Amino acid sequence: MAVASAAPGSTFCKQLLFSFLVLILLCDGCQKISLQVPSHLQAETLVGKVNLKECLQPASLILSSDPDFRILEDGSIYTTHDLVLSSKRKSFSIFLSDSQRQEEKEIEIVLEARGKKVPKKRHAKDTVLKRSKRRWAPIPCSLMENSLGPFPQHVQQVQSDAAQNYTIFYSISGPGVDKEPLNLFFINKDSGDIFCTRSIDREQYDHFPLYAYATTADGYAPEYPLPLLFKVEDDNDNAPYFENKVTIFSVPENCRSGTSVGKVTAIDLDEPDTLHTRLKYKILQQIPDHPKHFSIHPDTGVITTTSPLLDRESCDTYKLIMEVRDMGGQPFGLANTGTITISLEDENDNAPYFTETSYFAEVEENRIDVEILRMAIYDKDLPNTPHSKAVYTILQGNENGNFKISTDPNTNEAVLCVVKPLNYEVNRQIILQIGVVNEAQFSKAQSSQAPTMCTTTVTVTIKDSDEGPECQPPVKVIQSKDGLPAGKELLGYKAFDPETRSGEGLRYKKLGDEDDWFEINEVTGDLKTLKVLDRESKFVKNNEYNVSVVATDADGRSCTGTLVVRLEDDNDHAPQIEKEVTICQHAQDFAVLKPVDPDGPENGPPFEFFLDNSASKLWTVATKDGKTAILRSRQNLDYDFYNVPIQIKDRHGLTGKHMLSVRVCDCTTPSDCRMNIKQRESNANVSKVILGRWAILAMVLGSALLLCVLFTCFCVTAKTTVKKCFPDDVAQQNLIVSNTEGPGEEVMDANIRLPAQTSNIGETSVSVGTLGGQGVKAQQSFEMVKGGYTLESSKGGGHRTLESLKGGGQGVTDTGRYVYTDWHSFTQPRLGEESIRGHTLIKN
């Protein structure tokens, strides 16, 4: 099959021809199909087309037994990769299956290498269609974009050689036919003429790959599908445009000529690499337009500077109106415009300067931390940037550090302050030279060297004020000898009036004198000693004693100063030593003596040590290094305390005599010995405790109480052994002694009997009668001599008796009874008298 004719006016097609021909066979059933193919097949090559519907319809699964081939749903057979037929015949099968009906079919495909002739006339018995030998390539074809018609517009005609022998019908498929855009092309099935139905936009579809088919009336294809490529020729229907309608670039001011500012780009949708997309750039206008500072490369769109005179302070922003045109910039080309904004970056190319050439200020003397002046500057550079922020410096006139200058961050002004008091009497006017620079370094783009610093002068006038006395210097040192006696005068602290430079009219007082060594003269300020000055006093630090003084003028204004009395050391203290040392004979048989001299080093060591004659018999002392000595016993001594008289001399011969107490112990360390001795002393102190009067009184009262208790017990015991009768109610108030284990008897008057009682002076004999029918005899004799009382006595003896209490000295009744109340009346007064006598004895 070949292309017979093309549409008039169409351009030549640029597509290559197929490298081989394919025979398509449409079979009536599942028969064996033979196809003639070239010996070398490329990948994705259409081998042939089989009518699968005639064999099995519908087929849910289509498989190839040979992986070198793949089968499409319409029966087209394609190679999967490049294939070389090693033999003249190659066969494989196509398997069809229907899962619903559980039916399977097989079609055998036989590929024969080229070489056999195909008859021109098809016979009814032929199972394989043969293609004609002659093969025509399609004529290249193109379509014009945006064609105006008329439509349908003839594009091309295809014809098959087989039409000479058979009735051939033509058809096409592909994009524009049965794929998007649909119905753009159609073919006359009888003549093979292909038509286009409407205009085409190349930017949407730039080509259409189609296939043309030639088939007989019974559906067989005597020709291979013919690939057709319709290329759409570009029409310059799209104007170029800038990617960004407004583009912003920046470039430093004062930059060199030829500095790149930026690059602009434009887009053209027409066909690339054609005259339709060959763009040219141009600057139509610069705002402001004078002088011209920028240019653009017409092909690349790169913008560069043309002048080194870009000054941000003159103009900080430029606008460029740009044009881009296709067709190589020809006037008939399509064009578009855009705006480019170029901002100039600030450089520190302008030095700051003061608005005034000189300034004046006034300040009172002795004022500090006070603002006296503000100075403004002018800088053309961008505000609030390091290029314009000022840094101020006092160049001259501030040698004493009285002034400080700083920058106000809000106004950028210079702020001049006084930070150290000024003295009108010393200097009445000061002239300052002040300079200013920027925080950023000066740019050298415009000039080879930086400009000179801008300076100005400030004249500061100091105003006089009536001020109080001055204590200068704040600390004054005077010398004095150690041991200076009381009543001596020393030169005191002197203050003065800064106005008159004299101390007349000032009054002095002490503010501080720790040990009250001095009194101060109110008028002159001189000191007078109240005590002997002692360098070794605890109030003296580093040989110095401080006295604080306040000076006051007539108006009550004052100042304070310190007078330091530096004491010269005098050798007035002998070396001192600890009074007790310990020698542990088991550890070491000596003691180390370490004397201390309160005087200074020039009156201290080296020391000399001496023992008295009495001590040298038992002890030896040897100087070790001029500061210490070794004390050693001449022989082993008993463990005890020893008094050793010793003398110590300093370097100038001042001698200190000491009685050294040496303890000789059986210990390992001196601390062990010292602990034992302290314990013994503690025990000795306990034995020497003297009782106080309240303690003695408590002990006496306790002893008297104990004596009373013992006496009462004795009396009760004696009462139980004396022959007597109990009162009638004794059974109701007292327990009765019973020596029987049987049941008790009722207490009656008849069975409580006391026998007749015989008594002699000073002696009583008591017989205890029978109780309850049984008798126990007891003989007891006792005498109650305390206080001159007896239980029974003769009437002539002068003693009070129990009977005397009952009946005025009458004897005992026949019944021999003593009433209990009588016995109680007899004993209680006597117990009271004994207690009183005991207290009297304690007091005596």
Side-chain angles (χ1 to χ4, degrees), residues 32-35 89-92 108-112:
K32 181 178 180 181
I33 300 174
S34 298
L35 300 175
R89 292 175 62 89
K90 181 178 177 64
S91 64
F92 64 96
E108 184 180 1
I109 305 297
V110 178
L111 301 180
E112 296 180 354

Side-chain angles (χ1 to χ4, degrees), residues 582-590 663 665-670 673:
T582 302
I583 295 178
C584 295
Q585 290 190 350
H586 282 230
Q588 60 184 20
D589 59 348
F590 62 88
R663 301 169 182 169
C665 296
D666 180 14
C667 60
T668 304
T669 60
C673 177

Side-chain angles (χ1 to χ4, degrees), residues 4-71:
S5 62
S10 62
T11 60
F12 290 99
C13 189
K14 299 178 182 179
Q15 184 179 11
L16 298 176
L17 302 177
F18 274 148
S19 59
F20 59 89
L21 299 176
V22 180
L23 177 64
I24 300 178
L25 181 63
L26 300 175
C27 62
D28 292 332
C30 302
Q31 300 178 3
K32 181 178 180 181
I33 300 174
S34 298
L35 300 175
Q36 289 189 352
V37 296
S39 60
H40 179 73
L41 297 174
Q42 294 183 351
E44 299 298 323
T45 299
L46 179 65
V47 176
K49 188 175 183 180
V50 180
N51 191 347
L52 302 179
K53 295 181 181 180
E54 294 289 336
C55 181
L56 181 63
Q57 185 180 8
S60 59
L61 181 63
I62 303 173
L63 296 176
S64 172
S65 64
D66 193 337
D68 294 336
F69 303 91
R70 62 185 180 91
I71 315 300

